[in-house]
PDB file of all heavy atoms in Angstrom:
ATOM      1  N   ARG A 316      -1.411 -10.569   0.681  1.00 95.00           N
ATOM      2  CA  ARG A 316      -2.754 -10.046   0.363  1.00 95.00           C
ATOM      3  C   ARG A 316      -2.785  -9.236  -0.925  1.00 95.00           C
ATOM      4  O   ARG A 316      -3.836  -9.012  -1.486  1.00 95.00           O
ATOM      5  CB  ARG A 316      -3.230  -9.192   1.517  1.00 95.00           C
ATOM      6  CG  ARG A 316      -3.523  -9.988   2.789  1.00 95.00           C
ATOM      7  CD  ARG A 316      -3.938  -9.107   3.919  1.00 95.00           C
ATOM      8  NE  ARG A 316      -4.098  -9.843   5.184  1.00 95.00           N
ATOM      9  CZ  ARG A 316      -4.523  -9.301   6.335  1.00 95.00           C
ATOM     10  NH1 ARG A 316      -4.866  -8.019   6.362  1.00 95.00           N
ATOM     11  NH2 ARG A 316      -4.611 -10.051   7.394  1.00 95.00           N
ATOM     12  N   ILE A 317      -1.609  -8.797  -1.418  1.00 97.00           N
ATOM     13  CA  ILE A 317      -1.579  -8.087  -2.690  1.00 97.00           C
ATOM     14  C   ILE A 317      -2.156  -8.992  -3.804  1.00 97.00           C
ATOM     15  O   ILE A 317      -2.854  -8.464  -4.706  1.00 97.00           O
ATOM     16  CB  ILE A 317      -0.152  -7.671  -3.040  1.00 97.00           C
ATOM     17  CG1 ILE A 317       0.312  -6.549  -2.013  1.00 97.00           C
ATOM     18  CG2 ILE A 317      -0.042  -7.128  -4.465  1.00 97.00           C
ATOM     19  CD1 ILE A 317       1.762  -6.124  -2.199  1.00 97.00           C
ATOM     20  N   LYS A 318      -1.826 -10.264  -3.765  1.00 97.00           N
ATOM     21  CA  LYS A 318      -2.327 -11.168  -4.772  1.00 97.00           C
ATOM     22  C   LYS A 318      -3.857 -11.249  -4.704  1.00 97.00           C
ATOM     23  O   LYS A 318      -4.517 -11.204  -5.768  1.00 97.00           O
ATOM     24  CB  LYS A 318      -1.770 -12.590  -4.522  1.00 97.00           C
ATOM     25  CG  LYS A 318      -2.294 -13.637  -5.458  1.00 97.00           C
ATOM     26  CD  LYS A 318      -1.721 -15.023  -5.126  1.00 97.00           C
ATOM     27  CE  LYS A 318      -2.393 -16.135  -5.946  1.00 97.00           C
ATOM     28  NZ  LYS A 318      -1.814 -17.445  -5.578  1.00 97.00           N
ATOM     29  N   ASP A 319      -4.460 -11.299  -3.525  1.00 95.00           N
ATOM     30  CA  ASP A 319      -5.871 -11.314  -3.387  1.00 95.00           C
ATOM     31  C   ASP A 319      -6.519 -10.001  -3.873  1.00 95.00           C
ATOM     32  O   ASP A 319      -7.563 -10.004  -4.528  1.00 95.00           O
ATOM     33  CB  ASP A 319      -6.279 -11.557  -1.939  1.00 95.00           C
ATOM     34  CG  ASP A 319      -5.789 -12.867  -1.406  1.00 95.00           C
ATOM     35  OD1 ASP A 319      -5.680 -13.809  -2.228  1.00 95.00           O
ATOM     36  OD2 ASP A 319      -5.492 -12.969  -0.177  1.00 95.00           O
ATOM     37  N   GLN A 320      -5.863  -8.901  -3.572  1.00 95.00           N
ATOM     38  CA  GLN A 320      -6.376  -7.629  -4.022  1.00 95.00           C
ATOM     39  C   GLN A 320      -6.368  -7.517  -5.557  1.00 95.00           C
ATOM     40  O   GLN A 320      -7.287  -6.999  -6.172  1.00 95.00           O
ATOM     41  CB  GLN A 320      -5.498  -6.483  -3.455  1.00 95.00           C
ATOM     42  CG  GLN A 320      -5.705  -6.171  -2.004  1.00 95.00           C
ATOM     43  CD  GLN A 320      -7.015  -5.442  -1.768  1.00 95.00           C
ATOM     44  OE1 GLN A 320      -8.052  -6.082  -1.700  1.00 95.00           O
ATOM     45  NE2 GLN A 320      -6.970  -4.137  -1.644  1.00 95.00           N
ATOM     46  N   MET A 321      -5.285  -8.052  -6.149  1.00 97.00           N
ATOM     47  CA  MET A 321      -5.205  -8.018  -7.597  1.00 97.00           C
ATOM     48  C   MET A 321      -6.311  -8.865  -8.217  1.00 97.00           C
ATOM     49  O   MET A 321      -6.944  -8.466  -9.252  1.00 97.00           O
ATOM     50  CB  MET A 321      -3.859  -8.524  -8.091  1.00 97.00           C
ATOM     51  CG  MET A 321      -3.625  -8.446  -9.577  1.00 97.00           C
ATOM     52  SD  MET A 321      -3.728  -6.739 -10.215  1.00 97.00           S
ATOM     53  CE  MET A 321      -4.998  -6.922 -11.456  1.00 97.00           C
ATOM     54  N   ARG A 322      -6.602  -9.996  -7.675  1.00 97.00           N
ATOM     55  CA  ARG A 322      -7.653 -10.858  -8.187  1.00 97.00           C
ATOM     56  C   ARG A 322      -8.999 -10.125  -8.036  1.00 97.00           C
ATOM     57  O   ARG A 322      -9.843 -10.218  -8.945  1.00 97.00           O
ATOM     58  CB  ARG A 322      -7.685 -12.204  -7.451  1.00 97.00           C
ATOM     59  CG  ARG A 322      -6.556 -13.116  -7.871  1.00 97.00           C
ATOM     60  CD  ARG A 322      -6.708 -14.492  -7.252  1.00 97.00           C
ATOM     61  NE  ARG A 322      -6.815 -14.436  -5.829  1.00 97.00           N
ATOM     62  CZ  ARG A 322      -6.478 -15.457  -5.005  1.00 97.00           C
ATOM     63  NH1 ARG A 322      -6.056 -16.576  -5.522  1.00 97.00           N
ATOM     64  NH2 ARG A 322      -6.624 -15.322  -3.720  1.00 97.00           N
ATOM     65  N   GLU A 323      -9.242  -9.483  -6.925  1.00 96.00           N
ATOM     66  CA  GLU A 323     -10.497  -8.774  -6.718  1.00 96.00           C
ATOM     67  C   GLU A 323     -10.653  -7.642  -7.729  1.00 96.00           C
ATOM     68  O   GLU A 323     -11.723  -7.485  -8.359  1.00 96.00           O
ATOM     69  CB  GLU A 323     -10.545  -8.199  -5.295  1.00 96.00           C
ATOM     70  CG  GLU A 323     -11.867  -7.427  -5.052  1.00 96.00           C
ATOM     71  CD  GLU A 323     -11.856  -6.750  -3.677  1.00 96.00           C
ATOM     72  OE1 GLU A 323     -10.926  -7.024  -2.888  1.00 96.00           O
ATOM     73  OE2 GLU A 323     -12.777  -5.972  -3.430  1.00 96.00           O
ATOM     74  N   VAL A 324      -9.584  -6.882  -7.920  1.00 97.00           N
ATOM     75  CA  VAL A 324      -9.586  -5.772  -8.898  1.00 97.00           C
ATOM     76  C   VAL A 324      -9.845  -6.317 -10.323  1.00 97.00           C
ATOM     77  O   VAL A 324     -10.667  -5.822 -11.092  1.00 97.00           O
ATOM     78  CB  VAL A 324      -8.274  -4.980  -8.887  1.00 97.00           C
ATOM     79  CG1 VAL A 324      -8.165  -4.012 -10.088  1.00 97.00           C
ATOM     80  CG2 VAL A 324      -8.169  -4.182  -7.600  1.00 97.00           C
ATOM     81  N   GLY A 325      -9.108  -7.389 -10.667  1.00 98.00           N
ATOM     82  CA  GLY A 325      -9.266  -7.902 -12.039  1.00 98.00           C
ATOM     83  C   GLY A 325     -10.650  -8.456 -12.312  1.00 98.00           C
ATOM     84  O   GLY A 325     -11.208  -8.298 -13.386  1.00 98.00           O
ATOM     85  N   LYS A 326     -11.250  -9.163 -11.314  1.00 97.00           N
ATOM     86  CA  LYS A 326     -12.604  -9.742 -11.508  1.00 97.00           C
ATOM     87  C   LYS A 326     -13.654  -8.623 -11.594  1.00 97.00           C
ATOM     88  O   LYS A 326     -14.532  -8.739 -12.408  1.00 97.00           O
ATOM     89  CB  LYS A 326     -12.883 -10.690 -10.333  1.00 97.00           C
ATOM     90  CG  LYS A 326     -12.092 -12.005 -10.361  1.00 97.00           C
ATOM     91  CD  LYS A 326     -12.395 -12.859  -9.166  1.00 97.00           C
ATOM     92  CE  LYS A 326     -11.628 -14.173  -9.214  1.00 97.00           C
ATOM     93  NZ  LYS A 326     -11.865 -15.001  -8.063  1.00 97.00           N
ATOM     94  N   ARG A 327     -13.503  -7.647 -10.729  1.00 97.00           N
ATOM     95  CA  ARG A 327     -14.488  -6.545 -10.791  1.00 97.00           C
ATOM     96  C   ARG A 327     -14.355  -5.781 -12.131  1.00 97.00           C
ATOM     97  O   ARG A 327     -15.356  -5.420 -12.736  1.00 97.00           O
ATOM     98  CB  ARG A 327     -14.270  -5.590  -9.623  1.00 97.00           C
ATOM     99  CG  ARG A 327     -15.343  -4.480  -9.621  1.00 97.00           C
ATOM    100  CD  ARG A 327     -15.145  -3.428  -8.543  1.00 97.00           C
ATOM    101  NE  ARG A 327     -15.393  -3.957  -7.192  1.00 97.00           N
ATOM    102  CZ  ARG A 327     -15.656  -3.128  -6.148  1.00 97.00           C
ATOM    103  NH1 ARG A 327     -15.679  -1.836  -6.285  1.00 97.00           N
ATOM    104  NH2 ARG A 327     -15.887  -3.691  -4.953  1.00 97.00           N
ATOM    105  N   ALA A 328     -13.112  -5.579 -12.599  1.00 97.00           N
ATOM    106  CA  ALA A 328     -12.878  -4.910 -13.862  1.00 97.00           C
ATOM    107  C   ALA A 328     -13.550  -5.710 -15.002  1.00 97.00           C
ATOM    108  O   ALA A 328     -14.185  -5.099 -15.904  1.00 97.00           O
ATOM    109  CB  ALA A 328     -11.403  -4.743 -14.119  1.00 97.00           C
ATOM    110  N   GLU A 329     -13.414  -7.017 -14.986  1.00 97.00           N
ATOM    111  CA  GLU A 329     -13.995  -7.804 -16.071  1.00 97.00           C
ATOM    112  C   GLU A 329     -15.530  -7.746 -16.008  1.00 97.00           C
ATOM    113  O   GLU A 329     -16.209  -7.603 -17.030  1.00 97.00           O
ATOM    114  CB  GLU A 329     -13.557  -9.246 -15.921  1.00 97.00           C
ATOM    115  CG  GLU A 329     -14.041 -10.169 -17.033  1.00 97.00           C
ATOM    116  CD  GLU A 329     -13.488 -11.563 -16.963  1.00 97.00           C
ATOM    117  OE1 GLU A 329     -12.905 -11.904 -15.890  1.00 97.00           O
ATOM    118  OE2 GLU A 329     -13.677 -12.315 -17.958  1.00 97.00           O
ATOM    119  N   ARG A 330     -16.106  -7.865 -14.803  1.00 97.00           N
ATOM    120  CA  ARG A 330     -17.582  -7.765 -14.653  1.00 97.00           C
ATOM    121  C   ARG A 330     -18.129  -6.485 -15.134  1.00 97.00           C
ATOM    122  O   ARG A 330     -19.178  -6.414 -15.764  1.00 97.00           O
ATOM    123  CB  ARG A 330     -17.986  -7.998 -13.183  1.00 97.00           C
ATOM    124  CG  ARG A 330     -17.824  -9.393 -12.666  1.00 97.00           C
ATOM    125  CD  ARG A 330     -18.597  -9.603 -11.391  1.00 97.00           C
ATOM    126  NE  ARG A 330     -18.246  -8.587 -10.415  1.00 97.00           N
ATOM    127  CZ  ARG A 330     -17.331  -8.756  -9.465  1.00 97.00           C
ATOM    128  NH1 ARG A 330     -16.632  -9.867  -9.442  1.00 97.00           N
ATOM    129  NH2 ARG A 330     -17.087  -7.795  -8.560  1.00 97.00           N
ATOM    130  N   GLN A 331     -17.408  -5.384 -14.823  1.00 96.00           N
ATOM    131  CA  GLN A 331     -17.892  -4.037 -15.136  1.00 96.00           C
ATOM    132  C   GLN A 331     -17.468  -3.548 -16.489  1.00 96.00           C
ATOM    133  O   GLN A 331     -17.935  -2.483 -16.902  1.00 96.00           O
ATOM    134  CB  GLN A 331     -17.474  -3.074 -14.040  1.00 96.00           C
ATOM    135  CG  GLN A 331     -18.000  -3.418 -12.658  1.00 96.00           C
ATOM    136  CD  GLN A 331     -17.544  -2.464 -11.555  1.00 96.00           C
ATOM    137  OE1 GLN A 331     -16.677  -1.587 -11.817  1.00 96.00           O
ATOM    138  NE2 GLN A 331     -18.043  -2.610 -10.358  1.00 96.00           N
ATOM    139  N   GLY A 332     -16.577  -4.259 -17.127  1.00 96.00           N
ATOM    140  CA  GLY A 332     -16.035  -3.783 -18.421  1.00 96.00           C
ATOM    141  C   GLY A 332     -15.287  -2.514 -18.307  1.00 96.00           C
ATOM    142  O   GLY A 332     -15.379  -1.636 -19.197  1.00 96.00           O
ATOM    143  N   ARG A 333     -14.475  -2.392 -17.255  1.00 97.00           N
ATOM    144  CA  ARG A 333     -13.685  -1.150 -17.000  1.00 97.00           C
ATOM    145  C   ARG A 333     -12.213  -1.505 -16.816  1.00 97.00           C
ATOM    146  O   ARG A 333     -11.877  -2.631 -16.446  1.00 97.00           O
ATOM    147  CB  ARG A 333     -14.196  -0.462 -15.718  1.00 97.00           C
ATOM    148  CG  ARG A 333     -15.681  -0.049 -15.761  1.00 97.00           C
ATOM    149  CD  ARG A 333     -16.168   0.315 -14.400  1.00 97.00           C
ATOM    150  NE  ARG A 333     -15.407   1.494 -13.899  1.00 97.00           N
ATOM    151  CZ  ARG A 333     -15.293   1.764 -12.619  1.00 97.00           C
ATOM    152  NH1 ARG A 333     -15.828   0.986 -11.710  1.00 97.00           N
ATOM    153  NH2 ARG A 333     -14.637   2.842 -12.205  1.00 97.00           N
ATOM    154  N   PRO A 334     -11.356  -0.541 -17.023  1.00 97.00           N
ATOM    155  CA  PRO A 334      -9.906  -0.796 -16.766  1.00 97.00           C
ATOM    156  C   PRO A 334      -9.636  -1.028 -15.316  1.00 97.00           C
ATOM    157  O   PRO A 334     -10.216  -0.383 -14.449  1.00 97.00           O
ATOM    158  CB  PRO A 334      -9.246   0.505 -17.249  1.00 97.00           C
ATOM    159  CG  PRO A 334     -10.222   1.171 -18.201  1.00 97.00           C
ATOM    160  CD  PRO A 334     -11.572   0.804 -17.626  1.00 97.00           C
ATOM    161  N   PRO A 335      -8.737  -1.976 -14.973  1.00 98.00           N
ATOM    162  CA  PRO A 335      -8.370  -2.213 -13.605  1.00 98.00           C
ATOM    163  C   PRO A 335      -7.905  -0.966 -12.818  1.00 98.00           C
ATOM    164  O   PRO A 335      -8.154  -0.825 -11.661  1.00 98.00           O
ATOM    165  CB  PRO A 335      -7.269  -3.261 -13.691  1.00 98.00           C
ATOM    166  CG  PRO A 335      -7.542  -3.950 -14.962  1.00 98.00           C
ATOM    167  CD  PRO A 335      -8.065  -2.908 -15.918  1.00 98.00           C
ATOM    168  N   GLN A 336      -7.215  -0.045 -13.549  1.00 96.00           N
ATOM    169  CA  GLN A 336      -6.730   1.167 -12.917  1.00 96.00           C
ATOM    170  C   GLN A 336      -7.891   1.998 -12.358  1.00 96.00           C
ATOM    171  O   GLN A 336      -7.819   2.515 -11.276  1.00 96.00           O
ATOM    172  CB  GLN A 336      -5.929   2.020 -13.915  1.00 96.00           C
ATOM    173  CG  GLN A 336      -5.232   3.234 -13.324  1.00 96.00           C
ATOM    174  CD  GLN A 336      -3.830   2.843 -12.775  1.00 96.00           C
ATOM    175  OE1 GLN A 336      -3.438   1.695 -12.823  1.00 96.00           O
ATOM    176  NE2 GLN A 336      -3.065   3.823 -12.350  1.00 96.00           N
ATOM    177  N   HIS A 337      -8.984   2.044 -13.143  1.00 96.00           N
ATOM    178  CA  HIS A 337     -10.153   2.789 -12.694  1.00 96.00           C
ATOM    179  C   HIS A 337     -10.851   2.134 -11.505  1.00 96.00           C
ATOM    180  O   HIS A 337     -11.278   2.779 -10.560  1.00 96.00           O
ATOM    181  CB  HIS A 337     -11.158   2.982 -13.808  1.00 96.00           C
ATOM    182  CG  HIS A 337     -10.619   3.798 -14.948  1.00 96.00           C
ATOM    183  ND1 HIS A 337     -11.313   4.018 -16.136  1.00 96.00           N
ATOM    184  CD2 HIS A 337      -9.408   4.424 -15.116  1.00 96.00           C
ATOM    185  CE1 HIS A 337     -10.569   4.760 -16.950  1.00 96.00           C
ATOM    186  NE2 HIS A 337      -9.435   5.026 -16.359  1.00 96.00           N
ATOM    187  N   VAL A 338     -10.929   0.786 -11.568  1.00 97.00           N
ATOM    188  CA  VAL A 338     -11.539   0.031 -10.490  1.00 97.00           C
ATOM    189  C   VAL A 338     -10.711   0.177  -9.209  1.00 97.00           C
ATOM    190  O   VAL A 338     -11.301   0.385  -8.131  1.00 97.00           O
ATOM    191  CB  VAL A 338     -11.667  -1.460 -10.871  1.00 97.00           C
ATOM    192  CG1 VAL A 338     -12.064  -2.308  -9.683  1.00 97.00           C
ATOM    193  CG2 VAL A 338     -12.668  -1.609 -12.013  1.00 97.00           C
TER     194      VAL A 338
END
Side-chain angles (χ1 to χ4, degrees):
R316 294 178 184 182
I317 292 175
K318 177 182 173 181
D319 298 331
Q320 286 285 84
M321 184 61 236
R322 286 187 304 203
E323 179 185 352
V324 168
K326 288 177 180 178
R327 183 184 290 200
E329 184 176 11
R330 287 196 306 268
Q331 298 178 354
R333 300 169 61 204
Q336 189 88 355
H337 295 177
V338 170

